[in-house]
PDB file of all heavy atoms in Angstrom:
ATOM      1  N   ILE A   6      93.098  95.573 111.509  1.00  0.00           N
ATOM      2  CA  ILE A   6      93.673  96.769 111.020  1.00  0.00           C
ATOM      3  C   ILE A   6      92.870  97.357 109.976  1.00  0.00           C
ATOM      4  O   ILE A   6      92.619  96.562 108.920  1.00  0.00           O
ATOM      5  CB  ILE A   6      95.163  96.647 110.664  1.00  0.00           C
ATOM      6  CG1 ILE A   6      96.010  96.246 111.805  1.00  0.00           C
ATOM      7  CG2 ILE A   6      95.713  97.930 110.113  1.00  0.00           C
ATOM      8  CD1 ILE A   6      97.583  96.240 111.652  1.00  0.00           C
ATOM      9  N   VAL A   7      92.445  98.641 109.961  1.00  0.00           N
ATOM     10  CA  VAL A   7      91.523  99.168 108.915  1.00  0.00           C
ATOM     11  C   VAL A   7      92.264 100.308 108.291  1.00  0.00           C
ATOM     12  O   VAL A   7      92.857 101.125 108.959  1.00  0.00           O
ATOM     13  CB  VAL A   7      90.204  99.437 109.416  1.00  0.00           C
ATOM     14  CG1 VAL A   7      89.496  98.223 109.999  1.00  0.00           C
ATOM     15  CG2 VAL A   7      90.236 100.583 110.409  1.00  0.00           C
ATOM     16  N   SER A   8      92.009 100.442 106.976  1.00  0.00           N
ATOM     17  CA  SER A   8      92.551 101.632 106.307  1.00  0.00           C
ATOM     18  C   SER A   8      91.403 102.004 105.210  1.00  0.00           C
ATOM     19  O   SER A   8      91.154 101.299 104.272  1.00  0.00           O
ATOM     20  CB  SER A   8      93.834 101.269 105.478  1.00  0.00           C
ATOM     21  OG  SER A   8      94.156 102.306 104.614  1.00  0.00           O
ATOM     22  N   THR A   9      90.702 103.219 105.445  1.00  0.00           N
ATOM     23  CA  THR A   9      89.558 103.601 104.578  1.00  0.00           C
ATOM     24  C   THR A   9      90.016 104.894 103.942  1.00  0.00           C
ATOM     25  O   THR A   9      90.627 105.728 104.626  1.00  0.00           O
ATOM     26  CB  THR A   9      88.389 103.730 105.379  1.00  0.00           C
ATOM     27  OG1 THR A   9      88.462 104.644 106.457  1.00  0.00           O
ATOM     28  CG2 THR A   9      87.899 102.350 105.983  1.00  0.00           C
ATOM     29  N   GLY A  10      89.734 105.067 102.663  1.00  0.00           N
ATOM     30  CA  GLY A  10      89.895 106.259 101.930  1.00  0.00           C
ATOM     31  C   GLY A  10      91.283 106.624 101.723  1.00  0.00           C
ATOM     32  O   GLY A  10      91.638 107.787 101.732  1.00  0.00           O
ATOM     33  N   VAL A  11      92.203 105.609 101.642  1.00  0.00           N
ATOM     34  CA  VAL A  11      93.633 105.987 101.586  1.00  0.00           C
ATOM     35  C   VAL A  11      94.259 105.356 100.247  1.00  0.00           C
ATOM     36  O   VAL A  11      95.093 105.960  99.617  1.00  0.00           O
ATOM     37  CB  VAL A  11      94.409 105.319 102.808  1.00  0.00           C
ATOM     38  CG1 VAL A  11      95.877 105.488 102.654  1.00  0.00           C
ATOM     39  CG2 VAL A  11      93.947 105.965 104.042  1.00  0.00           C
ATOM     40  N   SER A  12      93.767 104.056  99.951  1.00  0.00           N
ATOM     41  CA  SER A  12      94.477 103.385  98.863  1.00  0.00           C
ATOM     42  C   SER A  12      94.651 104.128  97.497  1.00  0.00           C
ATOM     43  O   SER A  12      95.572 104.059  96.722  1.00  0.00           O
ATOM     44  CB  SER A  12      93.787 102.024  98.576  1.00  0.00           C
ATOM     45  OG  SER A  12      92.528 102.168  98.127  1.00  0.00           O
ATOM     46  N   MET A  13      93.599 104.938  97.209  1.00  0.00           N
ATOM     47  CA  MET A  13      93.610 105.690  95.905  1.00  0.00           C
ATOM     48  C   MET A  13      94.636 106.743  95.917  1.00  0.00           C
ATOM     49  O   MET A  13      94.970 107.138  94.754  1.00  0.00           O
ATOM     50  CB  MET A  13      92.161 106.164  95.581  1.00  0.00           C
ATOM     51  CG  MET A  13      91.608 107.280  96.518  1.00  0.00           C
ATOM     52  SD  MET A  13      91.005 106.517  97.994  1.00  0.00           S
ATOM     53  CE  MET A  13      89.867 107.832  98.496  1.00  0.00           C
ATOM     54  N   TYR A  14      95.086 107.252  96.886  1.00  0.00           N
ATOM     55  CA  TYR A  14      96.181 108.311  96.902  1.00  0.00           C
ATOM     56  C   TYR A  14      97.492 107.708  96.934  1.00  0.00           C
ATOM     57  O   TYR A  14      98.543 108.517  96.883  1.00  0.00           O
ATOM     58  CB  TYR A  14      95.979 109.196  98.153  1.00  0.00           C
ATOM     59  CG  TYR A  14      94.643 109.932  98.286  1.00  0.00           C
ATOM     60  CD1 TYR A  14      93.716 109.582  99.353  1.00  0.00           C
ATOM     61  CD2 TYR A  14      94.306 110.874  97.321  1.00  0.00           C
ATOM     62  CE1 TYR A  14      92.513 110.302  99.328  1.00  0.00           C
ATOM     63  CE2 TYR A  14      93.083 111.516  97.439  1.00  0.00           C
ATOM     64  CZ  TYR A  14      92.196 111.146  98.425  1.00  0.00           C
ATOM     65  OH  TYR A  14      90.888 111.841  98.539  1.00  0.00           O
ATOM     66  N   LEU A  15      97.675 106.478  96.973  1.00  0.00           N
ATOM     67  CA  LEU A  15      99.013 105.655  97.024  1.00  0.00           C
ATOM     68  C   LEU A  15      99.155 105.056  95.656  1.00  0.00           C
ATOM     69  O   LEU A  15      98.274 104.698  94.908  1.00  0.00           O
ATOM     70  CB  LEU A  15      99.009 104.668  98.046  1.00  0.00           C
ATOM     71  CG  LEU A  15      98.676 105.052  99.495  1.00  0.00           C
ATOM     72  CD1 LEU A  15      98.732 103.937 100.333  1.00  0.00           C
ATOM     73  CD2 LEU A  15      99.583 106.206  99.944  1.00  0.00           C
ATOM     74  N   THR A  16     100.461 105.022  95.246  1.00  0.00           N
ATOM     75  CA  THR A  16     100.753 104.236  94.078  1.00  0.00           C
ATOM     76  C   THR A  16     100.453 102.660  94.210  1.00  0.00           C
ATOM     77  O   THR A  16     100.310 102.224  95.421  1.00  0.00           O
ATOM     78  CB  THR A  16     102.280 104.353  93.631  1.00  0.00           C
ATOM     79  OG1 THR A  16     103.000 103.678  94.718  1.00  0.00           O
ATOM     80  CG2 THR A  16     102.634 105.842  93.510  1.00  0.00           C
ATOM     81  N   LYS A  17     100.355 102.016  93.214  1.00  0.00           N
ATOM     82  CA  LYS A  17     100.035 100.606  93.261  1.00  0.00           C
ATOM     83  C   LYS A  17     101.276  99.832  93.850  1.00  0.00           C
ATOM     84  O   LYS A  17     101.075  98.847  94.722  1.00  0.00           O
ATOM     85  CB  LYS A  17      99.745  99.960  91.949  1.00  0.00           C
ATOM     86  CG  LYS A  17      98.399 100.413  91.379  1.00  0.00           C
ATOM     87  CD  LYS A  17      97.882  99.608  90.224  1.00  0.00           C
ATOM     88  CE  LYS A  17      96.442 100.069  89.869  1.00  0.00           C
ATOM     89  NZ  LYS A  17      95.792  99.329  88.806  1.00  0.00           N
ATOM     90  N   GLU A  18     102.493 100.405  93.739  1.00  0.00           N
ATOM     91  CA  GLU A  18     103.650  99.728  94.375  1.00  0.00           C
ATOM     92  C   GLU A  18     103.513  99.918  95.879  1.00  0.00           C
ATOM     93  O   GLU A  18     103.817  99.007  96.641  1.00  0.00           O
ATOM     94  CB  GLU A  18     104.887 100.439  93.784  1.00  0.00           C
ATOM     95  CG  GLU A  18     105.209 100.081  92.320  1.00  0.00           C
ATOM     96  CD  GLU A  18     104.423 100.789  91.389  1.00  0.00           C
ATOM     97  OE1 GLU A  18     103.765 101.855  91.826  1.00  0.00           O
ATOM     98  OE2 GLU A  18     104.399 100.399  90.245  1.00  0.00           O
ATOM     99  N   THR A  19     103.116 101.164  96.308  1.00  0.00           N
ATOM    100  CA  THR A  19     103.034 101.388  97.741  1.00  0.00           C
ATOM    101  C   THR A  19     101.794 100.542  98.412  1.00  0.00           C
ATOM    102  O   THR A  19     102.080 100.050  99.490  1.00  0.00           O
ATOM    103  CB  THR A  19     102.797 102.853  98.058  1.00  0.00           C
ATOM    104  OG1 THR A  19     103.867 103.688  97.487  1.00  0.00           O
ATOM    105  CG2 THR A  19     102.713 103.160  99.465  1.00  0.00           C
ATOM    106  N   ASN A  20     100.779 100.459  97.674  1.00  0.00           N
ATOM    107  CA  ASN A  20      99.657  99.545  98.089  1.00  0.00           C
ATOM    108  C   ASN A  20     100.227  98.145  98.238  1.00  0.00           C
ATOM    109  O   ASN A  20      99.754  97.499  99.269  1.00  0.00           O
ATOM    110  CB  ASN A  20      98.539  99.655  97.132  1.00  0.00           C
ATOM    111  CG  ASN A  20      97.547 100.886  97.547  1.00  0.00           C
ATOM    112  OD1 ASN A  20      96.986 100.868  98.422  1.00  0.00           O
ATOM    113  ND2 ASN A  20      97.452 101.734  96.436  1.00  0.00           N
ATOM    114  N   MET A  21     101.026  97.614  97.360  1.00  0.00           N
ATOM    115  CA  MET A  21     101.482  96.287  97.443  1.00  0.00           C
ATOM    116  C   MET A  21     102.433  96.187  98.615  1.00  0.00           C
ATOM    117  O   MET A  21     102.373  95.142  99.313  1.00  0.00           O
ATOM    118  CB  MET A  21     102.330  95.942  96.155  1.00  0.00           C
ATOM    119  CG  MET A  21     102.713  94.553  96.050  1.00  0.00           C
ATOM    120  SD  MET A  21     101.376  93.291  96.110  1.00  0.00           S
ATOM    121  CE  MET A  21     102.195  91.853  96.292  1.00  0.00           C
ATOM    122  N   THR A  22     103.257  97.198  98.854  1.00  0.00           N
ATOM    123  CA  THR A  22     104.152  97.146 100.043  1.00  0.00           C
ATOM    124  C   THR A  22     103.382  97.144 101.289  1.00  0.00           C
ATOM    125  O   THR A  22     103.650  96.328 102.307  1.00  0.00           O
ATOM    126  CB  THR A  22     105.192  98.402 100.027  1.00  0.00           C
ATOM    127  OG1 THR A  22     105.965  98.359  98.817  1.00  0.00           O
ATOM    128  CG2 THR A  22     106.037  98.412 101.240  1.00  0.00           C
ATOM    129  N   THR A  23     102.247  97.841 101.403  1.00  0.00           N
ATOM    130  CA  THR A  23     101.432  97.782 102.558  1.00  0.00           C
ATOM    131  C   THR A  23     100.785  96.439 102.766  1.00  0.00           C
ATOM    132  O   THR A  23     100.720  95.888 103.926  1.00  0.00           O
ATOM    133  CB  THR A  23     100.283  98.840 102.422  1.00  0.00           C
ATOM    134  OG1 THR A  23     100.902 100.171 102.255  1.00  0.00           O
ATOM    135  CG2 THR A  23      99.310  98.841 103.618  1.00  0.00           C
ATOM    136  N   LEU A  24     100.307  95.834 101.684  1.00  0.00           N
ATOM    137  CA  LEU A  24      99.780  94.476 101.819  1.00  0.00           C
ATOM    138  C   LEU A  24     100.750  93.456 102.275  1.00  0.00           C
ATOM    139  O   LEU A  24     100.478  92.628 103.106  1.00  0.00           O
ATOM    140  CB  LEU A  24      99.122  94.013 100.481  1.00  0.00           C
ATOM    141  CG  LEU A  24      97.942  94.745  99.992  1.00  0.00           C
ATOM    142  CD1 LEU A  24      97.592  94.462  98.533  1.00  0.00           C
ATOM    143  CD2 LEU A  24      96.732  94.331 100.892  1.00  0.00           C
ATOM    144  N   GLN A  25     101.983  93.542 101.805  1.00  0.00           N
ATOM    145  CA  GLN A  25     103.099  92.719 102.188  1.00  0.00           C
ATOM    146  C   GLN A  25     103.389  92.878 103.678  1.00  0.00           C
ATOM    147  O   GLN A  25     103.594  91.877 104.395  1.00  0.00           O
ATOM    148  CB  GLN A  25     104.318  92.890 101.334  1.00  0.00           C
ATOM    149  CG  GLN A  25     104.163  92.427  99.879  1.00  0.00           C
ATOM    150  CD  GLN A  25     105.264  92.889  98.999  1.00  0.00           C
ATOM    151  OE1 GLN A  25     105.939  93.882  99.288  1.00  0.00           O
ATOM    152  NE2 GLN A  25     105.569  92.192  98.035  1.00  0.00           N
ATOM    153  N   GLN A  26     103.314  94.105 104.113  1.00  0.00           N
ATOM    154  CA  GLN A  26     103.595  94.385 105.565  1.00  0.00           C
ATOM    155  C   GLN A  26     102.435  93.828 106.398  1.00  0.00           C
ATOM    156  O   GLN A  26     102.659  93.174 107.474  1.00  0.00           O
ATOM    157  CB  GLN A  26     103.659  95.849 105.695  1.00  0.00           C
ATOM    158  CG  GLN A  26     104.252  96.394 106.974  1.00  0.00           C
ATOM    159  CD  GLN A  26     104.403  97.796 106.958  1.00  0.00           C
ATOM    160  OE1 GLN A  26     103.882  98.573 106.085  1.00  0.00           O
ATOM    161  NE2 GLN A  26     105.239  98.347 107.862  1.00  0.00           N
ATOM    162  N   MET A  27     101.200  93.931 105.926  1.00  0.00           N
ATOM    163  CA  MET A  27     100.056  93.448 106.709  1.00  0.00           C
ATOM    164  C   MET A  27      99.925  91.955 106.735  1.00  0.00           C
ATOM    165  O   MET A  27      99.482  91.359 107.731  1.00  0.00           O
ATOM    166  CB  MET A  27      98.782  94.079 106.069  1.00  0.00           C
ATOM    167  CG  MET A  27      98.672  95.510 106.110  1.00  0.00           C
ATOM    168  SD  MET A  27      98.610  96.127 107.838  1.00  0.00           S
ATOM    169  CE  MET A  27      98.556  97.892 107.585  1.00  0.00           C
ATOM    170  N   ALA A  28     100.404  91.280 105.632  1.00  0.00           N
ATOM    171  CA  ALA A  28     100.404  89.887 105.558  1.00  0.00           C
ATOM    172  C   ALA A  28     101.287  89.150 106.604  1.00  0.00           C
ATOM    173  O   ALA A  28     101.236  87.979 106.898  1.00  0.00           O
ATOM    174  CB  ALA A  28     100.769  89.310 104.177  1.00  0.00           C
ATOM    175  N   LYS A  29     102.180  90.014 107.167  1.00  0.00           N
ATOM    176  CA  LYS A  29     103.090  89.477 108.255  1.00  0.00           C
ATOM    177  C   LYS A  29     102.534  89.562 109.559  1.00  0.00           C
ATOM    178  O   LYS A  29     103.188  89.231 110.678  1.00  0.00           O
ATOM    179  CB  LYS A  29     104.424  90.183 108.233  1.00  0.00           C
ATOM    180  CG  LYS A  29     105.173  90.020 106.857  1.00  0.00           C
ATOM    181  CD  LYS A  29     106.451  90.894 106.823  1.00  0.00           C
ATOM    182  CE  LYS A  29     107.220  90.620 105.485  1.00  0.00           C
ATOM    183  NZ  LYS A  29     108.330  91.633 105.360  1.00  0.00           N
ATOM    184  N   LEU A  30     101.305  90.107 109.793  1.00  0.00           N
ATOM    185  CA  LEU A  30     100.667  90.152 111.091  1.00  0.00           C
ATOM    186  C   LEU A  30     100.469  88.784 111.637  1.00  0.00           C
ATOM    187  O   LEU A  30     100.360  87.799 110.941  1.00  0.00           O
ATOM    188  CB  LEU A  30      99.245  90.884 110.935  1.00  0.00           C
ATOM    189  CG  LEU A  30      99.360  92.352 110.654  1.00  0.00           C
ATOM    190  CD1 LEU A  30      97.943  92.796 110.064  1.00  0.00           C
ATOM    191  CD2 LEU A  30      99.742  93.190 111.791  1.00  0.00           C
ATOM    192  N   ALA A  31     100.198  88.679 113.016  1.00  0.00           N
ATOM    193  CA  ALA A  31     100.057  87.501 113.668  1.00  0.00           C
ATOM    194  C   ALA A  31      98.854  86.676 113.003  1.00  0.00           C
ATOM    195  O   ALA A  31      97.922  87.323 112.536  1.00  0.00           O
ATOM    196  CB  ALA A  31      99.713  87.746 115.117  1.00  0.00           C
TER     197      ALA A  31
END
């Protein structure tokens, strides 16, 4: 899963939520 040019437009809290979501991948 790739995400380019997005993280800077999100708050650090939202970035953390995304990372937590991704860490649950298979």
Side-chain angles (χ1 to χ4, degrees):
I6 299 189
V7 301
S8 172
T9 58
V11 175
S12 66
M13 63 278 206
Y14 299 115
L15 308 177
T16 64
K17 291 196 173 181
E18 291 76 16
T19 301
N20 275 299
M21 185 62 186
T22 299
T23 300
L24 287 167
Q25 290 169 334
Q26 197 172 14
M27 297 298 177
K29 295 175 183 174
L30 290 165

